Amino acid sequence: MNGEGQVPPQASEATGGTVPQTTMRAVTQDRYGDAEVLHSADIPVPVPRDNEVLVRVHAAGLDRGTWHLMTGTPLLARLAVGLRRPRNPVPGIDLAGTVAAVGAAITRFAVGDAVYGFGRATFAEYAVAKEDRLALKPASLDFRQAAVVPVSGATALQALRLGRVAAGQRVLVTGASGGVGSYAVQLAKALGAEVTGVASTAKQDLVLALGAEHSVDYTRQDFTEFSQRYDLIVDTGGNPSLRRLRRALTATGTAVVVGGEGAGKWLGMNRQFRAVALSPFIRQRLVMLASAQRATDLEELAPFLESGAVRPHLEVSYPLERARAAMEHLVAGKARGKIAITI
């Protein structure tokens, strides 16, 4: 095995499948930076370990987490992914595709299964994923739609679970037109909450189309200045201060701080840690979400996806060769929902 986790291609026959090629198209980067660091390359096809599945990728999702890994920010994250350059040069986490080969310990999947979930280096024709991070693709979704669910959909589900959402509650979602926000709006609505979404002027129609009863244009209105108070705030964007979040909560309401850009060069989680430190001393509940990658969350999302109560809002797809343009579109803040990379 070489330094990039590859093994000789002939080993693929021992993993429950045969891959008819030894190299594949992929998007790679050899340094941290903005979208210009991304370029196309031919690299070896990976081979799954015993507890991994090799997926022929039909589509990959693009999310802010991929941007963070591409830029190497916050800087503390480089301790895990590579100090001076990415340890794994191929970006991408979300994937949807068909099983091409399986490791010796795999019991849940077989070659040919249509799957989606959390992979490693998914901006490529083939990618590996751990068995406990994959689920069977919902039949109601095509591969592009399925590919944009895992990271954002699971994060939204975890945020609502952490916030103890309940039917009849008033829920506010900031960043409601984005990846996590678009799922949070739909899931909260499906669980019986009255939902208000916060987004820009150009995305007000999308927020209402997602099912929100009310929409706030943050360029013209401050959600903290309304008389309405919320039982739960799912904060996915905009970096409102903790004081503003508390002002919009009921006396015993909960705010789940999911993330936000520009939140610190080194740590990137300043508000989250301040929220956790303050929460024990007030009646309101302020919590941070450290999202996890689990197949069980995908399985919990499946009934919502199959019934149509939750739908991936896929704005646009880019071919693999245009991954740089897709990233630029995301960073520019133009995305209305999700972006897919097709392979």
Side-chain angles (χ1 to χ4, degrees):
M1 184 174 291
N2 66 23
E4 296 303 327
Q6 310 291 340
V7 300
Q10 62 268 22
S12 65
E13 295 184 0
T15 62
T18 300
V19 179
Q21 59 191 81
T22 59
T23 62
M24 64 179 183
R25 294 179 298 127
V27 171
T28 67
Q29 62 178 107
D30 54 15
R31 59 188 174 90
Y32 293 117
D34 293 325
E36 69 269 10
V37 304
L38 301 178
H39 58 274
S40 298
D42 289 332
I43 63 173
V45 174
V47 173
R49 298 181 176 90
D50 286 353
N51 66 335
E52 292 179 334
V53 174
L54 179 69
V55 178
R56 170 67 176 92
V57 182
H58 299 308
L62 177 59
D63 66 284
R64 275 284 178 177
T66 300
W67 174 82
H68 280 293
L69 292 174
M70 179 188 74
T71 59
T73 56
L75 296 179
L76 187 64
R78 298 190 186 189
L79 293 176
V81 299
L83 288 177
R84 303 186 65 178
R85 62 181 61 85
R87 192 173 296 121
N88 185 345
V90 181
I93 302 169
D94 284 337
L95 64 77
T98 53
V99 174
V102 295
I106 300 300
T107 60
R108 295 175 56 232
F109 303 106
V111 172
D113 285 345
V115 297
Y116 77 131
F118 311 93
R120 185 171 67 248
T122 63
F123 286 11
E125 289 184 273
Y126 291 89
V128 293
K130 292 184 178 180
E131 183 179 31
D132 62 2
R133 296 185 182 182
L134 288 177
L136 293 174
K137 181 183 73 67
S140 61
L141 304 183
D142 63 30
F143 285 107
R144 294 182 310 148
Q145 292 171 317
V148 300
V149 171
V151 169
S152 296
T155 299
L157 179 66
Q158 292 167 32
L160 291 170
R161 185 189 296 136
L162 183 61
R164 302 169 186 167
V165 67
Q169 287 187 333
R170 293 183 297 273
V171 175
L172 178 80
V173 179
T174 68
S177 63
V180 176
S182 64
Y183 287 108
V185 168
Q186 295 180 81
L187 284 167
K189 177 70 175 178
L191 293 168
E194 178 183 327
V195 183
T196 298
V198 181
S200 65
T201 305
K203 299 174 183 178
Q204 294 295 296
D205 59 331
L206 171 60
V207 173
L208 295 174
L210 291 169
E213 283 87 357
H214 315 285
S215 185
V216 177
D217 180 351
Y218 69 76
T219 69
R220 301 177 181 178
Q221 303 165 301
D222 184 344
F223 66 82
T224 68
E225 295 179 353
F226 298 124
S227 59
Q228 179 72 275
R229 294 294 176 262
Y230 302 95
D231 303 293
L232 172 62
I233 297 177
V234 179
D235 176 34
T236 75
N239 287 315
S241 67
L242 297 183
R243 178 175 295 181
R244 292 181 64 216
L245 291 176
R246 291 190 61 200
R247 189 185 308 154
L249 284 174
T250 62
T252 57
T254 296
V256 179
V257 184
V258 178
E261 305 312 317
K265 176 181 178 182
W266 287 94
L267 189 59
M269 300 179 71
N270 299 334
R271 283 190 315 141
Q272 286 94 321
F273 287 127
R274 290 202 306 272
V276 171
L278 176 62
S279 189
F281 303 100
I282 60 176
R283 293 179 64 199
Q284 294 164 325
R285 183 168 167 259
L286 308 178
V287 293
M288 63 177 281
L289 174 67
S291 59
Q293 299 177 0
R294 298 184 293 246
T296 52
D297 287 327
L298 300 179
E299 292 165 352
E300 188 172 340
L301 284 169
F304 295 101
L305 296 166
E306 292 284 16
S307 70
V310 174
R311 298 290 294 175
H313 188 84
L314 178 60
E315 182 207 21
V316 64
S317 300
Y318 288 82
L320 183 65
E321 293 75 15
R322 298 196 64 217
R324 180 185 298 183
M327 183 65 76
E328 290 170 344
H329 185 74
L330 175 73
V331 174
K334 298 177 181 179
R336 293 167 54 93
K338 296 291 297 182
I339 301 170
I341 305 294
T342 57
I343 297 96

